[in-house]
Amino acid sequence: MTSPHEGDDEGSATEPDAPTCARCGVRADGPPPTWTLSVENGVRLHYCERCSRENLRAIEGRLDPQWW
């Protein structure tokens, strides 16, 4: 994973359509097997491993992200 705050954008290996965490904005370098995928109001949202772990009960309880 790369953070939008690390390094510069020149020569970045991050794919243009790489998943971005809907909560914290971290981008994945490739397919994120440990990330959570959620479909909310017909929109596919990805959550990084850290955000997924921190909000696991809310995600499993199907609470709206506003409650996290």
Side-chain angles (χ1 to χ4, degrees), residues 21 23 32-33 40 46 51 53-54 61 63 68:
C21 179
R23 184 135 181 96
E40 299 170 17
H46 292 88
C51 289
R53 287 179 184 268
E54 290 176 355
L63 295 175
W68 304 2

Side-chain angles (χ1 to χ4, degrees), residues 2-46:
T2 59
S3 170
H5 305 291
E6 294 176 6
D8 60 280
D9 291 337
E10 291 184 21
S12 175
T14 304
E15 299 174 22
D17 59 345
T20 301
C21 179
R23 184 135 181 96
C24 71
V26 169
R27 291 185 60 117
D29 286 332
T34 58
W35 284 31
T36 301
L37 171 66
S38 176
V39 179
E40 299 170 17
N41 298 320
V43 177
R44 293 170 55 117
L45 300 174
H46 292 88

